[in-house]
Amino acid sequence: MAGKRKKESVLERTAQVFDLPGDLVAGLPRMELIGDRELRMENHRGILAYGSEEIHISGGKLILKVRGEGLELRSMNAGELLITGQIRSVELD
């Protein structure tokens, strides 16, 4: 446990020294919701479930559940994905 704590503090210090967002340095998922039509996510860990009304995305320690109508995975690579459609809700588990 002490090793993990030390690693986190090194990442926190690095973020502070270089004036960077902590989530960027730690590789945490970053989400951007644009209106109710577009969701972008960086640092995802893959798609867990996919359908036109619900998409589940792994964010490592959390799961992002996107619900709506006409949902579509428009693009995806190792670091980022884009979902479009009528987004009704976004839930973190």
Side-chain angles (χ1 to χ4, degrees):
M1 192 70 154
K4 185 175 181 180
R5 174 65 109 185
K6 185 175 182 176
K7 183 179 179 182
E8 288 174 352
S9 64
V10 168
L11 291 175
E12 290 170 1
R13 283 185 293 203
T14 302
Q16 290 173 355
V17 168
F18 293 106
D19 196 26
L20 298 170
D23 58 340
L24 178 66
V25 175
L28 297 174
R30 183 180 188 99
M31 296 161 279
E32 179 181 14
L33 183 62
I34 302 168
D36 63 351
R37 293 299 211 168
E38 190 172 294
L39 181 130
R40 294 180 186 273
M41 184 173 180
E42 298 174 5
N43 299 325
H44 66 86
R45 303 289 184 261
I47 301 292
L48 301 174
Y50 182 83
S52 63
E53 295 182 357
E54 195 165 318
I55 299 174
H56 298 184
I57 309 160
S58 174
K61 294 182 180 180
L62 59 88
I63 295 173
L64 180 75
K65 295 180 180 179
V66 182
R67 294 188 175 98
E69 298 172 11
L71 298 179
E72 186 177 343
L73 182 61
R74 299 288 285 190
S75 65
M76 180 174 142
N77 60 36
E80 185 176 347
L81 60 77
L82 170 64
I83 294 172
T84 60
Q86 183 69 44
I87 298 170
R88 301 274 185 228
S89 68
V90 177
E91 179 182 323
L92 298 174
D93 273 347

